Protein backbone atom coordinates (compact mmCIF):
# COMPACT_ATOMS: atom_id res chain seq x y z
CA UNK A 1 0.00 0.00 0.00
CA UNK A 2 1.58 3.31 -1.00
CA UNK A 3 1.16 6.63 0.82
CA UNK A 4 -1.69 7.91 -1.39
CA UNK A 5 -3.65 4.70 -0.82
CA UNK A 6 -3.05 4.99 2.93
CA UNK A 7 -4.26 8.61 2.99
CA UNK A 8 -7.35 7.64 1.00
CA UNK A 9 -8.05 4.75 3.35
CA UNK A 10 -7.76 7.02 6.43
CA UNK A 11 -10.02 9.67 4.88
CA UNK A 12 -12.58 7.10 3.77
CA UNK A 13 -12.59 5.47 7.20
CA UNK A 14 -13.14 8.83 8.91
CA UNK A 15 -16.00 9.63 6.53
CA UNK A 16 -17.66 6.26 7.18
CA UNK A 17 -17.21 6.68 10.93
CA UNK A 18 -18.78 10.14 10.80
CA UNK A 19 -21.72 8.85 8.74
CA UNK A 20 -22.24 5.90 11.13
CA UNK A 21 -22.10 8.13 14.21
CA UNK A 22 -24.45 10.74 12.73
CA UNK A 23 -27.00 8.10 11.75
CA UNK A 24 -26.74 6.44 15.17
CA UNK A 25 -27.18 9.73 17.03
CA UNK A 26 -30.24 10.69 14.98
CA UNK A 27 -31.71 7.22 15.62
CA UNK A 28 -31.32 7.84 19.37
CA UNK A 29 -33.17 11.14 19.08
CA UNK A 30 -30.09 13.36 19.46
CA UNK A 31 -30.56 16.81 17.95
CA UNK A 32 -27.40 18.54 16.75
CA UNK A 33 -27.20 22.32 17.04
CA UNK A 34 -24.84 23.70 14.42
CA UNK A 35 -23.17 27.09 14.77
CA UNK A 36 -24.05 26.93 18.47
CA UNK A 37 -22.35 27.84 21.72
CA UNK A 38 -23.10 26.75 25.26
CA UNK A 39 -23.91 29.79 27.37
CA UNK A 40 -24.53 28.04 30.69
CA UNK A 41 -24.78 24.64 32.37
CA UNK A 42 -26.60 24.22 35.69
CA UNK A 43 -29.03 21.93 37.51
CA UNK A 44 -29.20 19.31 34.74
CA UNK A 45 -29.80 21.82 31.94
CA UNK A 46 -27.60 23.38 29.30
CA UNK A 47 -28.52 26.68 27.69
CA UNK A 48 -27.35 26.78 24.10
CA UNK A 49 -27.33 29.77 21.79
CA UNK A 50 -28.24 28.27 18.41
CA UNK A 51 -26.57 30.62 15.97
CA UNK A 52 -28.35 29.28 12.89
CA UNK A 53 -31.73 30.03 14.52
CA UNK A 54 -30.50 33.06 16.53
CA UNK A 55 -32.21 31.92 19.74
CA UNK A 56 -31.40 30.37 23.11
CA UNK A 57 -32.54 26.80 23.78
CA UNK A 58 -32.66 25.22 27.26
CA UNK A 59 -31.93 21.50 27.02
CA UNK A 60 -32.10 18.87 29.79
CA UNK A 61 -28.82 16.98 29.83
CA UNK A 62 -26.74 14.43 31.71
CA UNK A 63 -23.61 14.97 29.58
CA UNK A 64 -22.21 17.38 27.02
CA UNK A 65 -20.23 16.24 23.97
CA UNK A 66 -17.94 18.76 22.30
CA UNK A 67 -17.98 17.93 18.60
CA UNK A 68 -16.38 21.11 17.31
CA UNK A 69 -14.45 21.33 14.09
CA UNK A 70 -10.76 20.65 14.39
CA UNK A 71 -8.83 23.63 13.10
CA UNK A 72 -5.07 24.05 12.69
CA UNK A 73 -3.40 26.08 15.44
CA UNK A 74 0.05 27.35 14.57
CA UNK A 75 0.00 30.37 16.89
CA UNK A 76 2.87 29.08 19.03
CA UNK A 77 4.92 28.22 15.95
CA UNK A 78 4.79 31.85 14.81
CA UNK A 79 6.24 32.99 18.15
CA UNK A 80 9.27 30.66 18.08
CA UNK A 81 12.52 32.19 16.92
CA UNK A 82 14.58 29.36 15.47
CA UNK A 83 16.49 28.70 12.28
CA UNK A 84 13.94 26.08 11.16
CA UNK A 85 10.45 25.26 12.35
CA UNK A 86 8.05 22.55 11.20
CA UNK A 87 4.30 22.44 11.72
CA UNK A 88 3.21 18.85 12.30
CA UNK A 89 0.15 16.99 13.55
CA UNK A 90 -2.79 19.07 14.74
CA UNK A 91 -0.73 22.24 14.40
CA UNK A 92 -0.65 21.77 10.64
CA UNK A 93 -3.70 19.66 9.79
CA UNK A 94 -5.91 18.17 12.52
CA UNK A 95 -7.19 14.77 11.45
CA UNK A 96 -6.28 11.68 13.46
CA UNK A 97 -3.41 10.31 15.53
CA UNK A 98 -2.01 8.18 12.69
CA UNK A 99 -1.62 11.19 10.41
CA UNK A 100 -0.13 13.27 13.25
CA UNK A 101 2.52 10.61 13.88
CA UNK A 102 3.21 10.36 10.16
CA UNK A 103 3.77 14.13 9.77
CA UNK A 104 6.12 14.05 12.78
CA UNK A 105 8.03 11.16 11.22
CA UNK A 106 8.22 12.99 7.86
CA UNK A 107 9.50 16.17 9.53
CA UNK A 108 12.10 14.24 11.52
CA UNK A 109 13.40 12.57 8.37
CA UNK A 110 13.56 15.93 6.56
CA UNK A 111 15.94 17.42 9.15
Amino acid sequence: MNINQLEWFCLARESLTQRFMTTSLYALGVRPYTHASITSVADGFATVHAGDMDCDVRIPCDAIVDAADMLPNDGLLAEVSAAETYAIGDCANPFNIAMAVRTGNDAGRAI
Side-chain angles (χ1 to χ4, degrees):
M1 181 179 291
N2 66 33
I3 297 301
N4 290 335
Q5 289 172 323
L6 178 61
E7 286 179 12
W8 181 88
F9 176 75
C10 288
L11 289 170
R13 189 183 70 198
E14 292 291 325
S15 176
L16 291 173
T17 301
Q18 181 181 11
R19 187 176 310 140
F20 172 77
M21 290 301 298
T22 303
T23 303
S24 298
L25 290 171
Y26 279 127
L28 292 170
V30 173
R31 164 110 194 261
Y33 289 91
T34 59
H35 308 289
S37 57
I38 298 172
T39 57
S40 68
V41 177
D43 301 323
F45 288 89
T47 303
V48 176
H49 180 75
D52 54 349
M53 297 182 288
D54 195 28
C55 67
D56 289 337
V57 180
R58 191 166 187 248
I59 304 167
C61 66
D62 295 324
I64 296 174
V65 177
D66 180 7
D69 287 336
M70 297 187 305
L71 302 172
N73 182 359
D74 63 354
L76 182 60
L77 185 65
E79 297 176 20
V80 174
S81 60
E84 293 182 64
T85 57
Y86 297 89
I88 63 170
D90 289 349
C91 174
N93 186 18
F95 185 62
N96 65 24
I97 190 66
M99 294 303 283
V101 169
R102 179 179 158 215
T103 58
N105 190 340
D106 291 347
R109 291 174 185 272
I111 296 177

